[in-house]
Amino acid sequence: MSWTAPITCATGDLWTAAQHNTYLRDNTAWLHDQPACRGYNSVDATLISPGATVLAFDSERFDTDGMHSTVTNTSRLLCATAGIYQITANLAILGTTPDQVNVYIRLNGTTYIAGQQVSVTNSGTNGFSLTALYLLAVGHYVEVVVVNASANVSYVKVAANYSLEFTAARVSGVAA
């Protein structure tokens, strides 16, 4: 279902059942049920050391707008409905010695739209979230990239309902 621009009525115009369904019922439902997706990975993700790792998400908690595939381009959340989205990555990174990694949300494979440097403790799991509010057009996609400068940080650990999770939810209908 998509948004239909309302019509302007004049005094004396008849309001039909079809107009009611299109302009009131369907548009109200569209405003209420915004596109959203939450993908996750079911196994730990090994990080390239040193280098950049694009994280994959092999499963979904929900996907209301066909934003994620568990078969093709599993690292991507694809915008099917334009608007402003809240995009969030939840990760738990495990290291072998104290070090730092950079975690990014990347747009269309080239543009970083959010980033955070994470300090990893000695043999500890370090959980955090990274969020961006961003205007997406239809066809845009976002990914999570972990840039590891050394061999001291080994992987992103699965933690049920928390780590290796990637979410996008439309918060406004402003079109790109």
Side-chain angles (χ1 to χ4, degrees):
M1 175 185 323
S2 62
W3 175 262
T4 303
I7 59 173
T8 301
C9 295
T11 303
D13 286 351
L14 295 178
W15 184 256
T16 67
Q19 288 172 317
H20 172 83
N21 291 341
T22 299
Y23 302 114
L24 185 61
R25 183 200 63 193
D26 294 350
N27 281 351
T28 301
W30 184 84
L31 287 170
H32 183 265
D33 298 327
Q34 292 293 317
C37 177
R38 183 166 180 146
Y40 68 97
N41 209 40
S42 60
V43 296
D44 296 342
T46 303
L47 298 176
I48 297 170
S49 298
T53 304
V54 178
L55 299 179
F57 302 91
D58 63 9
S59 304
E60 298 170 350
R61 303 218 182 274
F62 55 85
D63 184 357
T64 67
D65 200 30
M67 298 171 67
H68 180 257
S69 171
T70 59
V71 178
T72 305
N73 295 322
T74 60
S75 64
R76 298 177 180 183
L77 297 184
L78 176 68
C79 179
T81 304
I84 297 173
Y85 283 78
Q86 180 174 318
I87 306 155
T88 303
N90 294 317
L91 306 174
I93 298 178
L94 183 71
T96 56
T97 61
D99 211 334
Q100 294 182 339
V101 296
N102 292 309
V103 180
Y104 300 99
I105 295 174
R106 185 172 69 181
L107 174 68
N108 297 332
T110 58
T111 304
Y112 293 116
I113 60 173
Q116 181 174 341
Q117 188 173 67
V118 179
S119 295
V120 179
T121 60
N122 188 18
S123 298
T125 301
N126 303 269
F128 72 96
S129 293
L130 176 63
T131 298
L133 194 62
Y134 205 82
L135 179 63
L136 298 177
V138 172
H140 283 174
Y141 66 90
V142 289
E143 300 172 296
V144 180
V145 180
V146 180
V147 178
N148 189 9
S150 72
N152 297 334
V153 180
S154 52
Y155 60 93
V156 181
K157 187 161 180 54
V158 168
N161 295 303
Y162 167 72
S163 182
L164 273 154
E165 303 264 342
F166 192 28
T167 304
R170 189 167 180 259
V171 297
S172 174
V174 174

PDB file of all heavy atoms in Angstrom, residues 79-97:
ATOM      1  N   CYS A  79      15.944   0.416   1.014  1.00  0.00           N
ATOM      2  CA  CYS A  79      14.782   1.292   1.144  1.00  0.00           C
ATOM      3  C   CYS A  79      13.801   1.032  -0.003  1.00  0.00           C
ATOM      4  O   CYS A  79      14.135   1.233  -1.162  1.00  0.00           O
ATOM      5  CB  CYS A  79      15.220   2.759   1.134  1.00  0.00           C
ATOM      6  SG  CYS A  79      13.849   3.917   1.258  1.00  0.00           S
ATOM      7  N   ALA A  80      12.591   0.591   0.342  1.00  0.00           N
ATOM      8  CA  ALA A  80      11.537   0.355  -0.643  1.00  0.00           C
ATOM      9  C   ALA A  80      10.511   1.487  -0.640  1.00  0.00           C
ATOM     10  O   ALA A  80       9.760   1.656  -1.597  1.00  0.00           O
ATOM     11  CB  ALA A  80      10.843  -0.975  -0.363  1.00  0.00           C
ATOM     12  N   THR A  81      10.479   2.266   0.455  1.00  0.00           N
ATOM     13  CA  THR A  81       9.558   3.393   0.602  1.00  0.00           C
ATOM     14  C   THR A  81      10.365   4.589   1.096  1.00  0.00           C
ATOM     15  O   THR A  81      10.934   4.545   2.184  1.00  0.00           O
ATOM     16  CB  THR A  81       8.434   3.069   1.604  1.00  0.00           C
ATOM     17  OG1 THR A  81       7.761   1.878   1.183  1.00  0.00           O
ATOM     18  CG2 THR A  81       7.445   4.207   1.709  1.00  0.00           C
ATOM     19  N   ALA A  82      10.427   5.660   0.317  1.00  0.00           N
ATOM     20  CA  ALA A  82      11.237   6.831   0.667  1.00  0.00           C
ATOM     21  C   ALA A  82      10.764   7.471   1.968  1.00  0.00           C
ATOM     22  O   ALA A  82       9.585   7.404   2.316  1.00  0.00           O
ATOM     23  CB  ALA A  82      11.181   7.862  -0.456  1.00  0.00           C
ATOM     24  N   GLY A  83      11.701   8.089   2.683  1.00  0.00           N
ATOM     25  CA  GLY A  83      11.369   8.802   3.906  1.00  0.00           C
ATOM     26  C   GLY A  83      12.570   8.915   4.822  1.00  0.00           C
ATOM     27  O   GLY A  83      13.690   8.542   4.463  1.00  0.00           O
ATOM     28  N   ILE A  84      12.326   9.431   6.006  1.00  0.00           N
ATOM     29  CA  ILE A  84      13.366   9.543   7.027  1.00  0.00           C
ATOM     30  C   ILE A  84      13.325   8.269   7.862  1.00  0.00           C
ATOM     31  O   ILE A  84      12.265   7.869   8.357  1.00  0.00           O
ATOM     32  CB  ILE A  84      13.158  10.786   7.902  1.00  0.00           C
ATOM     33  CG1 ILE A  84      13.267  12.043   7.038  1.00  0.00           C
ATOM     34  CG2 ILE A  84      14.179  10.815   9.037  1.00  0.00           C
ATOM     35  CD1 ILE A  84      12.906  13.328   7.772  1.00  0.00           C
ATOM     36  N   TYR A  85      14.490   7.633   8.021  1.00  0.00           N
ATOM     37  CA  TYR A  85      14.602   6.368   8.742  1.00  0.00           C
ATOM     38  C   TYR A  85      15.532   6.507   9.936  1.00  0.00           C
ATOM     39  O   TYR A  85      16.539   7.210   9.875  1.00  0.00           O
ATOM     40  CB  TYR A  85      15.170   5.277   7.831  1.00  0.00           C
ATOM     41  CG  TYR A  85      14.164   4.724   6.863  1.00  0.00           C
ATOM     42  CD1 TYR A  85      13.821   5.418   5.710  1.00  0.00           C
ATOM     43  CD2 TYR A  85      13.539   3.510   7.100  1.00  0.00           C
ATOM     44  CE1 TYR A  85      12.894   4.917   4.818  1.00  0.00           C
ATOM     45  CE2 TYR A  85      12.607   2.992   6.223  1.00  0.00           C
ATOM     46  CZ  TYR A  85      12.287   3.697   5.079  1.00  0.00           C
ATOM     47  OH  TYR A  85      11.353   3.202   4.205  1.00  0.00           O
ATOM     48  N   GLN A  86      15.186   5.798  10.996  1.00  0.00           N
ATOM     49  CA  GLN A  86      16.116   5.602  12.103  1.00  0.00           C
ATOM     50  C   GLN A  86      16.785   4.263  11.846  1.00  0.00           C
ATOM     51  O   GLN A  86      16.113   3.232  11.740  1.00  0.00           O
ATOM     52  CB  GLN A  86      15.412   5.581  13.457  1.00  0.00           C
ATOM     53  CG  GLN A  86      16.403   5.365  14.597  1.00  0.00           C
ATOM     54  CD  GLN A  86      15.752   5.482  15.944  1.00  0.00           C
ATOM     55  OE1 GLN A  86      14.944   6.367  16.165  1.00  0.00           O
ATOM     56  NE2 GLN A  86      16.105   4.588  16.849  1.00  0.00           N
ATOM     57  N   ILE A  87      18.109   4.290  11.736  1.00  0.00           N
ATOM     58  CA  ILE A  87      18.897   3.115  11.391  1.00  0.00           C
ATOM     59  C   ILE A  87      19.809   2.818  12.578  1.00  0.00           C
ATOM     60  O   ILE A  87      20.543   3.696  13.029  1.00  0.00           O
ATOM     61  CB  ILE A  87      19.733   3.384  10.126  1.00  0.00           C
ATOM     62  CG1 ILE A  87      18.822   3.877   8.992  1.00  0.00           C
ATOM     63  CG2 ILE A  87      20.527   2.151   9.723  1.00  0.00           C
ATOM     64  CD1 ILE A  87      19.535   4.713   7.960  1.00  0.00           C
ATOM     65  N   THR A  88      19.760   1.582  13.081  1.00  0.00           N
ATOM     66  CA  THR A  88      20.513   1.236  14.288  1.00  0.00           C
ATOM     67  C   THR A  88      21.224  -0.099  14.130  1.00  0.00           C
ATOM     68  O   THR A  88      20.633  -1.059  13.643  1.00  0.00           O
ATOM     69  CB  THR A  88      19.575   1.159  15.514  1.00  0.00           C
ATOM     70  OG1 THR A  88      18.905   2.409  15.664  1.00  0.00           O
ATOM     71  CG2 THR A  88      20.338   0.844  16.791  1.00  0.00           C
ATOM     72  N   ALA A  89      22.477  -0.142  14.557  1.00  0.00           N
ATOM     73  CA  ALA A  89      23.249  -1.387  14.622  1.00  0.00           C
ATOM     74  C   ALA A  89      23.559  -1.671  16.086  1.00  0.00           C
ATOM     75  O   ALA A  89      24.010  -0.775  16.805  1.00  0.00           O
ATOM     76  CB  ALA A  89      24.543  -1.251  13.827  1.00  0.00           C
ATOM     77  N   ASN A  90      23.322  -2.891  16.526  1.00  0.00           N
ATOM     78  CA  ASN A  90      23.662  -3.344  17.884  1.00  0.00           C
ATOM     79  C   ASN A  90      24.716  -4.434  17.758  1.00  0.00           C
ATOM     80  O   ASN A  90      24.487  -5.435  17.074  1.00  0.00           O
ATOM     81  CB  ASN A  90      22.440  -3.913  18.606  1.00  0.00           C
ATOM     82  CG  ASN A  90      21.402  -2.868  18.875  1.00  0.00           C
ATOM     83  OD1 ASN A  90      21.719  -1.765  19.272  1.00  0.00           O
ATOM     84  ND2 ASN A  90      20.160  -3.204  18.641  1.00  0.00           N
ATOM     85  N   LEU A  91      25.867  -4.234  18.413  1.00  0.00           N
ATOM     86  CA  LEU A  91      26.973  -5.176  18.288  1.00  0.00           C
ATOM     87  C   LEU A  91      27.644  -5.437  19.627  1.00  0.00           C
ATOM     88  O   LEU A  91      27.679  -4.559  20.492  1.00  0.00           O
ATOM     89  CB  LEU A  91      28.040  -4.619  17.336  1.00  0.00           C
ATOM     90  CG  LEU A  91      27.591  -4.195  15.943  1.00  0.00           C
ATOM     91  CD1 LEU A  91      28.735  -3.533  15.211  1.00  0.00           C
ATOM     92  CD2 LEU A  91      27.062  -5.369  15.168  1.00  0.00           C
ATOM     93  N   ALA A  92      28.203  -6.636  19.773  1.00  0.00           N
ATOM     94  CA  ALA A  92      29.066  -6.985  20.904  1.00  0.00           C
ATOM     95  C   ALA A  92      30.380  -7.471  20.297  1.00  0.00           C
ATOM     96  O   ALA A  92      30.425  -8.534  19.673  1.00  0.00           O
ATOM     97  CB  ALA A  92      28.430  -8.057  21.763  1.00  0.00           C
ATOM     98  N   ILE A  93      31.443  -6.685  20.450  1.00  0.00           N
ATOM     99  CA  ILE A  93      32.731  -6.995  19.833  1.00  0.00           C
ATOM    100  C   ILE A  93      33.651  -7.619  20.877  1.00  0.00           C
ATOM    101  O   ILE A  93      33.765  -7.120  21.993  1.00  0.00           O
ATOM    102  CB  ILE A  93      33.358  -5.728  19.222  1.00  0.00           C
ATOM    103  CG1 ILE A  93      32.439  -5.200  18.115  1.00  0.00           C
ATOM    104  CG2 ILE A  93      34.751  -6.013  18.693  1.00  0.00           C
ATOM    105  CD1 ILE A  93      32.919  -3.931  17.457  1.00  0.00           C
ATOM    106  N   LEU A  94      34.326  -8.713  20.487  1.00  0.00           N
ATOM    107  CA  LEU A  94      35.220  -9.433  21.388  1.00  0.00           C
ATOM    108  C   LEU A  94      36.653  -9.253  20.923  1.00  0.00           C
ATOM    109  O   LEU A  94      36.952  -9.418  19.735  1.00  0.00           O
ATOM    110  CB  LEU A  94      34.863 -10.921  21.413  1.00  0.00           C
ATOM    111  CG  LEU A  94      35.684 -11.767  22.367  1.00  0.00           C
ATOM    112  CD1 LEU A  94      35.309 -11.442  23.816  1.00  0.00           C
ATOM    113  CD2 LEU A  94      35.457 -13.236  22.098  1.00  0.00           C
ATOM    114  N   GLY A  95      37.538  -8.911  21.866  1.00  0.00           N
ATOM    115  CA  GLY A  95      38.951  -8.748  21.542  1.00  0.00           C
ATOM    116  C   GLY A  95      39.821  -9.655  22.379  1.00  0.00           C
ATOM    117  O   GLY A  95      39.368 -10.239  23.365  1.00  0.00           O
ATOM    118  N   THR A  96      41.089  -9.772  21.979  1.00  0.00           N
ATOM    119  CA  THR A  96      42.043 -10.596  22.725  1.00  0.00           C
ATOM    120  C   THR A  96      42.973  -9.743  23.581  1.00  0.00           C
ATOM    121  O   THR A  96      43.502 -10.215  24.571  1.00  0.00           O
ATOM    122  CB  THR A  96      42.878 -11.460  21.764  1.00  0.00           C
ATOM    123  OG1 THR A  96      43.512 -10.599  20.811  1.00  0.00           O
ATOM    124  CG2 THR A  96      41.982 -12.458  21.041  1.00  0.00           C
ATOM    125  N   THR A  97      43.183  -8.492  23.178  1.00  0.00           N
ATOM    126  CA  THR A  97      43.951  -7.525  23.963  1.00  0.00           C
ATOM    127  C   THR A  97      43.284  -6.170  23.776  1.00  0.00           C
ATOM    128  O   THR A  97      42.528  -5.981  22.829  1.00  0.00           O
ATOM    129  CB  THR A  97      45.423  -7.437  23.500  1.00  0.00           C
ATOM    130  OG1 THR A  97      45.448  -7.021  22.145  1.00  0.00           O
ATOM    131  CG2 THR A  97      46.140  -8.773  23.651  1.00  0.00           C
TER     132      THR A  97
END
